[in-house]
């Protein structure tokens, strides 16, 4: 027998005694329940106490369900919200405030004002009279500005002929009270709202009403926290050490793990109806993930707002891409959603997205759908997806104003064009989202307001944040629920999750604009009343359940966390009376044991992979050879496994762009002026400056910062012309630039491109422009063979000399290797042949780069240097 059974038996005995003459037929009464979960245990109690072969059960309903059995027309909330938004916008009272959230909060207050009427009007005329009576009563009273604003707006909104949901609910209750002809039995754990109390009072005028208040049936529990003026040592505290325990966690992760561990223990003990009453939804998310990892599915009675679900994320990505003119990151985020283009074959869709990403990164286009379409002109696989994006973007043209319903219709059509609706239809949450969008569109067809795209997007975001999705596909003995849903319910075990002072009592919804002072002025329920109701619900839960674990975080982000004041008092009372502070004593040991059983992965070792001979590349670029010398494993990852990072789309000018432009400028200049000797220096500088402006023109259009790079280059022009003049004076003549080479060595081809080749009679000089300092380049050449670039260039062109040309900080210097270049070139070529031969023979490629190489190596996460034994 669970702890709740005696209470249900008492209720059943009372009902059966009062209805003894009608037995076994109880259809002549109505039982009002706090929730339908209570119907089964109450029916079982009635059967148990009646002791008859058959019993015709009474009508058992919730008040809301009972009222819904009567029809009533009313304005949808979405349309009502739009009307109030337009009213606020026209009055310009709140400046740049978020009017959508303000309107939403005002509607909540309006409904509470409607429910606070002193009478229960049953029709439009009676309602108008009640509103007028309330207005006349308040008109001359002293109200603060915010309260008067709310009251005046409410009065103005009620002047319309159409009823809203709150008024329709009120009228339904009035009709139920007028039709009262059956005894009514009511189960409750906390105070009624003013509307519910008026309904019971009017019902009691025509039929008998009996209330079973758990606070009166179990005074030991309910009296503990009701009167806080009574000294603690005078209270009669029931022993609840066998039913209630507290776990104080040191972190969110520990709290979620402890609660998960306790649920698993209960399941192992055979408990089959376990409730997790989640006060802290962040901890609840983590706990759900841990339970699913342990293969324990969880039913969720509370649900999650659509704004937190992945099905809504695709809408946000779509809007963000639109508003950013398809900024490349936003576009790729959208295209990588599993919901877009769901009507295409999966392989075709992934291939198109991959091709587009490669194109964007290769050509560096930052944004602009039309630019992307032009870029993909020769990529047939991309034509259809990009054309669909253009068609969908036209449907949601941002420059116009239109009604909420029209925006929704355009959105739904754009989802169809993009195949997102197909993807959403394959997901239960997606189906509910589509139904919600279509429902709002139908409700708002008559809305005459006109809204910009940004206004409508804020409206939609708020709607998604208020609509709840509940997954009905999971049927589990473990369930998430909330405190109000536990009224008159008993479980095999309960976890009260996240019971710190910030979450219990929780703050009532809607408090950003109008505080308790405003609510008190309007005679509306305050946060104190809301908290008192939670206190009663908490005590009722503890009275009806004999296995409860309370969890909370005593340390939160380095600060001390406080337990809920209600539970703190209960714990202190129990400690004073019985010397037991109710601390959970076993979970810490279980968590420690779980930590100790974690699998220890073998520590990483320095990798030195070998490669099958057929996988060894036939050709190597100069940069590949440099990579091999710097670190063989880097060469393996980059040039054999091809794990190179994707190039990022550049949004600003980098030094690499500057270096490329300098190379281009000098190539064009020397093609026009192979020799500068014989020309006027000023003329050469003007020509070089003009060519520079032509080469930098695209960067100047793209980014204002390019002017700084161009000025930096202009600073070096006199020094370059002076160096070139000296170079020519030594007999060297410009021969060619940007020359490709592809030399066949023994077992490998060497590929590359030299910046410039100068000749002097039969001599050749290979030059490589560098926008680096002279000292940095000398450091490169300090150890022979460490940098293979110049040596390989010299070998490829059979040049006797090779050098870097340092162009930096207004200086131009020639940096030459100290070693004999032909010999160094020959040695580098022989080393490449030997190394490639050993690789083909199965030699390992160890990760042996020095720290200076590893610091900027993108393969460090692959070789895992720093984790080696």
């Amino acid at each position: 027998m669970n702890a709740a059974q005696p209470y249900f038996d008492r209720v059943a005995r009372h009902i059966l005694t009062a209805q003894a003459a009608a037995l076994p037929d109880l259809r002549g009464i109505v039982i009002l329940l706090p929730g339908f979960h209570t119907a089964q245990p109450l029916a079982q109690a009635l059967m148990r106490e009646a002791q008859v072969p058959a019993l015709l059960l009474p009508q058992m309903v919730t008040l809301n369900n009972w009222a819904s059995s009567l029809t009533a027309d009313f304005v949808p909330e979405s349309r009502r919200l739009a009307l109030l938004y337009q009213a606020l916008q026209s009055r310009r009272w709140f400046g740049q405030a978020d009017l959508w959230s303000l309107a939403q909060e005002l509607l909540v207050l309006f409904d509470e004002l409607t429910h606070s009427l002193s009478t229960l009007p049953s029709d439009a005329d009676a309602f108008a009279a009640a509103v007028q009576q309330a207005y006349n009563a308040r008109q001359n009273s002293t109200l603060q500005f915010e309260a008067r604003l709310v009251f005046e707006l409410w009065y103005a909104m009620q002047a319309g002929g159409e009823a809203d949901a709150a008024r329709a609910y009120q009228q339904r209750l009035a009709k139920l009270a007028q039709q009262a002809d059956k005894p009514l039995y009511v189960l409750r754990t906390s105070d009624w709202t003013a509307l519910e109390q008026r309904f019971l009072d009017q019902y009691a005028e025509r039929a008998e009403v009996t209330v079973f208040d758990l606070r009166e049936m179990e005074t030991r529990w309910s009296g503990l926290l009701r009167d806080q003026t009574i000294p603690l040592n005078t209270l009669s505290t029931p022993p609840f050490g066998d039913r209630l325990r507290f776990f104080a966690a040191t972190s969110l992760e520990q709290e979620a793990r402890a609660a998960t561990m306790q649920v698993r223990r209960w399941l192992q003990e055979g408990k089959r109806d376990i409730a997790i009453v989640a006060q802290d939804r962040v901890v609840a998310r983590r706990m759900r993930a841990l339970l699913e990892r342990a293969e324990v599915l969880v039913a969720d009675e509370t649900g999650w707002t659509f704004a937190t679900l992945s099905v809504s994320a695709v809408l946000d990505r779509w809007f963000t891409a639109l508003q950013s003119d398809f900024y490349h990151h936003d576009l790729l985020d959208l295209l990588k959603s599993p919901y877009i283009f769901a009507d295409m074959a999966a392989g075709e869709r992934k291939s198109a997205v991959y091709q587009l990403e490669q194109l964007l990164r290769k050509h560096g286009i930052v944004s602009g759908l039309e630019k992307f379409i032009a870029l993909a002109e020769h990529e047939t696989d991309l034509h259809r997806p990009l054309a669909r994006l253009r068609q969908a973007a036209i449907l949601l043209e941002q420059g116009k104003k239109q009604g909420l319903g029209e925006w929704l219709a355009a959105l739904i059509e754009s989802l169809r064009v993009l195949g997102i609706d197909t993807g959403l239809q394959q997901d239960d949450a997606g189906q509910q989202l589509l139904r919600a969008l279509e429902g709002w569109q139908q409700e708002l067809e008559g809305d005459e307001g006109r809204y910009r795209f940004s206004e409508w997007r804020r409206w939609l975001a708020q709607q998604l944040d208020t609509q709840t999705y509940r997954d009905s596909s999971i049927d589990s003995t473990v369930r998430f629920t909330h405190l109000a849903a536990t009224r008159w319910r008993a479980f095999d075990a309960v976890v009260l999750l996240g019971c710190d002072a910030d979450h219990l009592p929780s703050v009532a919804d809607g408090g950003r604009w109008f505080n308790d002072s405003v609510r008190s002025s309007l005679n509306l329920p305050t946060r104190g009343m809301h908290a008192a109701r939670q206190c009663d619900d908490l005590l009722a839960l503890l009275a009806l359940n004999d296995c409860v674990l309370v969890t909370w975080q005593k340390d939160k982000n380095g600060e001390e966390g406080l337990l809920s004041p209600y539970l703190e008092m209960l714990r202190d009372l129990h400690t004073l009376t019985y010397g037991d502070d109710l601390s959970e004593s076993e979970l810490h040991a279980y968590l420690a044991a779980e930590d100790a059983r974690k699998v220890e992965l073998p520590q990483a070792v320095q990798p030195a992979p070998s490669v099958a001979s057929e996988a060894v590349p036939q050709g190597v670029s100069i940069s590949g050879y440099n990579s091999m010398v710097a670190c063989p494993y880097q060469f393996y990852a980059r040039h054999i496994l091809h794990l190179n990072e994707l190039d990022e789309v550049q949004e600003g000018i980098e030094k690499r762009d500057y270096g490329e432009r300098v190379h281009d400028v000098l190539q064009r200049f020397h093609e026009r002026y192979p020799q500068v000797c014989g020309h006027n220096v000023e003329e050469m500088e003007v020509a070089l400056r003009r060519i520079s402006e032509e080469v930098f023109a695209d960067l100047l259009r793209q980014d204002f910062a390019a002017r700084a790079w161009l000025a930096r280059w202009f600073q070096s022009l006199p020094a370059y012309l002076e160096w070139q003049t000296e170079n020519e004076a030594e007999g060297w003549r410009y021969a060619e630039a940007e020359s490709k080479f592809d030399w066949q060595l023994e077992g490998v081809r060497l590929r590359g491109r030299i910046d410039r080749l100068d000749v002097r009679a039969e001599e050749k000089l290979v030059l490589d422009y560098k926008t680096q300092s002279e000292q940095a380049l000398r450091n490169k050449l300090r150890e022979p063979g460490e940098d293979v670039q110049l040596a390989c260039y010299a070998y490829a062109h059979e040049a006797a000399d090779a050098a870097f040309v340092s162009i930096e900080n207004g200086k131009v210097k020639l940096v030459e290797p100290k070693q004999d270049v032909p010999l160094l070139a020959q040695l580098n070529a022989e080393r490449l042949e030997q190394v490639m031969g050993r690789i083909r023979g199965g030699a390992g490629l160890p990760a042996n780069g020095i720290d200076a190489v590893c610091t900027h190596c993108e393969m460090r996460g692959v070789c895992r240097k720093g984790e080696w034994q």
Side-chain angles (χ1 to χ4, degrees):
M1 181 177 72
N2 60 43
Q5 185 172 320
Y7 300 101
F8 282 108
D9 289 346
R10 286 169 60 184
V11 172
R13 283 195 295 271
H14 187 104
I15 293 174
L16 292 171
T17 300
Q19 301 298 319
L23 289 177
D25 189 355
L26 294 179
R27 291 177 297 174
I29 66 172
V30 178
I31 302 178
L32 204 56
L33 307 174
F36 281 112
H37 296 93
T38 312
Q40 183 178 359
L42 181 55
Q44 291 172 343
L46 289 169
M47 293 289 295
R48 191 165 49 246
E49 293 295 327
Q51 296 183 352
V52 293
L55 185 68
L56 296 178
L57 293 173
Q59 180 183 8
M60 291 187 279
V61 293
T62 64
L63 186 57
N64 187 63
N65 184 264
W66 197 12
S68 298
S69 64
L70 302 178
T71 58
D73 295 327
F74 56 89
V75 177
E77 287 300 291
S78 57
R79 198 156 127 218
R80 189 169 163 234
L81 179 66
L83 290 171
L84 181 54
Y85 177 86
Q86 293 163 34
L88 293 173
Q89 196 175 44
S90 65
R91 285 168 170 81
R92 302 183 183 278
W93 288 341
F94 296 95
Q96 300 298 316
D98 181 3
L99 294 185
W100 284 120
S101 63
L102 175 59
Q104 185 69 51
E105 186 176 338
L106 279 169
L107 286 184
V108 173
L109 291 176
F110 290 172
D111 290 346
E112 290 180 318
L113 277 168
T114 298
H115 291 165
S116 70
L117 293 174
S118 57
T119 60
L120 198 60
S122 59
D123 55 39
D125 293 337
F127 179 79
V131 170
Q132 189 63 46
Q133 181 182 358
Y135 185 74
N136 292 337
R138 294 289 183 85
Q139 196 171 19
N140 297 321
S141 61
T142 303
L143 294 178
Q144 55 182 293
F145 170 75
E146 292 90 343
R148 182 170 294 280
L149 179 146
V150 173
F151 196 75
E152 294 286 347
L153 279 173
W154 170 74
Y155 180 74
M157 290 287 287
Q158 305 311 323
E162 296 178 291
D164 53 51
R167 191 195 306 184
Y169 181 60
Q170 191 181 62
Q171 292 174 4
R172 287 169 174 169
L173 292 183
K175 290 178 182 178
L176 285 176
Q178 292 170 1
Q179 298 169 5
D181 58 356
K182 296 179 180 180
L184 179 64
Y185 296 91
V186 184
L187 275 64
R188 73 173 182 176
T189 62
S190 53
D191 291 335
W192 297 106
T193 65
L195 176 65
E196 293 167 337
Q197 189 60 58
R198 284 195 299 277
F199 163 74
L200 289 179
D201 292 342
Q202 290 191 21
Y203 194 100
E205 294 173 3
R206 294 176 174 80
E208 181 184 359
V209 175
T210 304
V211 177
F212 299 101
D213 191 330
L214 196 61
R215 294 172 296 180
E216 298 171 1
M217 298 171 67
E218 182 48 273
T219 56
R220 291 185 309 161
W221 284 87
S222 60
L224 286 176
L225 306 179
R226 299 296 293 178
D227 189 352
Q228 298 184 11
T229 62
I230 301 175
L232 295 181
N233 56 6
T234 64
L235 291 173
S236 176
T237 307
F240 37 83
D242 57 343
R243 66 168 64 195
L244 177 63
R245 286 292 161 186
F246 291 83
F247 182 88
T250 56
S251 66
L252 183 151
E253 181 69 14
Q254 189 187 52
E255 183 179 7
R257 287 182 59 213
T260 301
M261 178 64 72
Q262 186 60 67
V263 169
R264 291 167 59 190
R265 290 175 65 196
W266 283 336
L267 289 171
Q268 196 169 34
E269 292 169 8
K271 297 184 187 298
R272 287 295 175 265
D273 189 10
I274 300 172
I276 303 164
V277 183
Q279 297 298 119
D280 186 338
R281 296 292 282 175
V282 177
V283 182
R285 275 186 178 275
R286 180 57 183 155
M287 183 182 178
R288 179 172 190 155
L290 292 174
L291 284 169
E292 290 180 351
R293 183 187 296 176
E295 299 184 352
V296 178
L297 293 180
V298 183
D300 194 344
E301 296 177 359
T302 304
W304 303 90
T305 62
F306 275 107
T308 64
L309 303 178
S310 60
V311 292
S312 296
V314 68
L315 300 185
D316 186 64
R317 291 181 186 184
W318 172 218
F319 297 148
T320 301
L322 272 174
Q323 290 188 287
S324 67
D325 190 23
F326 293 91
Y327 175 64
H328 64 283
H329 280 309
D330 298 333
L331 176 60
L332 292 175
D333 279 347
L334 172 65
L335 295 180
K336 290 176 182 179
S337 167
Y339 297 104
I340 194 169
F341 300 138
D343 52 352
M344 295 171 61
E348 181 185 359
R349 179 171 61 86
K350 291 179 180 178
S351 175
V353 174
Y354 175 77
Q355 286 184 48
L356 181 61
E357 182 168 13
Q358 295 295 316
L359 277 175
L360 296 186
R361 295 182 186 278
K362 179 180 179 181
H363 294 277
I365 297 180
V366 176
S367 63
L369 182 59
E370 294 303 322
K371 295 179 183 177
F372 300 147
I373 292 173
L375 182 65
E377 180 181 1
H378 303 294
E379 303 291 338
T380 55
D381 291 345
L382 293 178
H383 289 171
R384 185 164 170 251
L386 291 176
R388 292 171 72 176
L389 279 169
R390 174 197 275 160
Q391 182 184 351
I394 292 171
L395 289 167
L396 288 170
E397 182 186 343
Q398 298 175 57
K400 59 185 177 183
K401 285 187 175 183
Q402 55 185 1
L404 297 177
E406 293 172 302
W407 278 119
L408 284 166
L411 169 62
I412 293 169
E413 179 61 18
S414 75
L415 298 183
R416 185 194 64 77
V417 169
L418 295 175
I420 293 176
D421 63 338
T422 303
L424 294 177
Q425 288 288 0
Q426 299 168 9
D427 184 282
D428 183 56
Q431 293 174 20
Q432 290 191 34
L433 175 60
L434 287 175
R435 287 197 294 271
L437 294 175
E438 291 165 357
W440 294 328
Q441 189 231 329
Q442 293 169 8
E443 291 172 0
L444 292 163
E445 277 183 334
D447 176 39
E448 297 179 355
R450 289 293 175 266
Y451 309 88
R452 297 186 300 273
F453 179 86
S454 57
E455 289 180 285
W456 168 71
R457 186 181 175 187
R458 285 197 299 272
W459 170 85
L460 182 60
Q462 180 170 286
Q463 292 295 103
L464 294 175
D465 201 34
T466 56
Q467 295 293 312
T468 302
Y469 163 72
R470 292 180 179 85
D471 188 352
S472 57
S473 63
I474 298 177
D475 183 16
S476 174
T477 57
V478 180
R479 71 191 70 240
F480 278 117
T481 189
H482 57 281
L483 191 57
T486 65
R487 293 168 182 168
W488 277 91
R489 289 177 71 179
F491 305 92
D492 290 349
V494 178
V495 174
L496 280 167
L497 190 69
C499 292
D500 54 63
D502 293 333
H503 292 94
L504 183 67
S506 63
V507 177
D509 291 336
R512 287 197 301 166
W513 292 92
F514 306 106
N515 56 24
D516 268 3
S517 177
V518 175
R519 301 179 69 86
S520 296
S521 298
L522 297 170
N523 291 334
L524 298 179
T526 61
R527 288 176 177 78
M529 299 177 188
H530 178 72
R533 189 174 290 115
Q534 290 182 77
C535 178
D536 290 336
D537 290 338
L538 172 65
L539 291 172
L541 171 69
L542 296 175
L544 295 178
N545 293 273
D546 54 11
C547 184
V548 179
L549 173 69
V550 173
T551 69
W552 61 289
Q553 295 173 53
K554 66 178 181 180
D555 296 316
K556 298 185 73 173
N557 300 322
E559 297 182 2
E560 182 181 1
L562 300 176
L563 180 61
S564 163
Y566 304 146
L567 293 165
E568 181 85 46
M569 187 174 292
L570 284 178
R571 189 177 65 174
D572 290 347
L573 285 170
H574 200 269
T575 303
L576 283 172
T577 307
Y578 303 101
D580 178 8
D581 65 358
L582 301 173
S583 295
E584 213 292 325
S585 58
E586 298 180 349
L587 279 177
H588 284 289
Y590 278 96
L591 294 177
E594 186 179 56
D595 288 336
R597 293 181 61 187
K598 286 185 178 178
V599 176
E600 292 292 337
L601 296 175
Q603 194 168 358
V605 295
Q606 182 182 18
S610 58
V611 184
S613 59
E614 61 271 15
V616 177
Q618 298 299 310
V620 175
S621 65
I622 297 295
S623 63
Y625 189 7
N626 251 335
S627 178
M628 182 189 299
V629 172
C631 173
Y633 188 86
Q634 185 189 85
F635 171 79
Y636 167 75
R638 283 181 181 174
H639 300 279
I640 296 179
L641 297 183
H642 302 291
L643 298 180
N644 312 54
E645 287 184 329
L646 285 172
D647 292 332
E648 290 295 328
V649 176
Q650 283 186 218
E651 299 180 37
I653 309 301
E654 298 180 356
K655 190 169 184 180
R656 181 180 62 181
D657 301 301
Y658 169 65
E660 289 174 354
R661 292 309 190 279
V662 168
H663 282 63
D664 194 6
V665 167
L666 294 176
Q667 181 186 3
R668 294 191 192 186
F669 175 73
H670 286 297
E671 284 176 353
R672 296 183 193 178
Y673 304 98
Q675 284 186 261
V676 298
C677 291
H679 294 278
N680 182 276
V681 175
E682 288 77 10
E683 176 190 346
M684 290 295 92
E685 186 170 340
V686 169
L688 191 51
R689 185 179 291 267
R690 184 176 60 252
I691 292 171
S692 301
E693 289 172 344
E694 292 172 1
V695 171
F696 276 82
D698 62 327
L699 291 182
L700 294 171
R701 289 192 298 269
Q702 176 184 333
D703 191 343
F704 186 80
R707 296 182 181 277
W709 290 107
L710 182 57
R712 181 176 179 174
W713 165 235
F714 282 164
Q715 185 182 7
S716 299
L717 297 190
Y720 179 79
L721 290 172
E722 182 181 349
W723 171 83
Q724 176 64 22
T725 301
E726 293 173 356
N727 191 51
E728 292 178 8
E730 294 176 6
W732 293 107
R733 297 290 180 267
Y734 170 84
E736 58 185 77
E738 299 298 322
S739 305
K740 292 182 180 180
F741 63 86
D742 191 344
W743 274 62
Q744 179 65 53
L745 304 177
E746 185 179 342
V748 63
R749 300 186 70 86
L750 181 63
R751 304 186 306 273
R753 182 200 303 265
I754 66 163
D755 289 350
R756 171 174 163 178
L757 179 67
D758 281 12
V759 296
R760 183 170 62 187
E762 299 300 321
E763 297 179 83
K764 293 181 180 179
L765 170 63
V766 172
L767 297 175
D768 192 52
Y769 299 125
K770 295 291 184 183
T771 54
Q772 293 174 269
S773 68
E774 178 185 5
Q775 187 58 49
L777 295 175
R778 293 199 184 283
N779 291 340
K780 273 190 174 187
L781 300 176
R782 182 175 297 162
E783 294 293 332
E786 284 297 314
D787 188 280
V788 304
Q789 193 171 13
L790 288 180
C792 289
Y793 287 163
Y795 184 87
H797 285 271
E798 300 178 337
D801 293 294
F804 290 128
V805 180
S806 169
I807 307 173
E808 183 71 353
N809 295 326
K811 299 177 181 179
V812 178
K813 297 287 184 180
L814 200 67
V815 182
E816 300 173 283
K818 294 181 180 179
Q819 299 79 22
D820 180 75
V821 172
L823 176 60
L824 191 60
Q826 183 61 38
L827 292 175
N828 270 286
E830 292 175 359
R831 177 175 62 177
L832 178 61
E833 293 172 342
Q834 294 167 5
V835 168
M836 294 302 291
R838 288 200 295 270
I839 293 174
R840 281 192 296 272
L845 294 164
N848 59 11
I850 61 174
D851 290 341
V853 171
C854 297
T855 299
H856 302 290
C857 178
E858 75 278 17
M859 299 303 166
R860 184 162 185 162
V862 183
C863 78
R864 304 182 71 180
K865 184 175 182 178
E867 299 180 26
W868 301 341
Q869 289 180 346

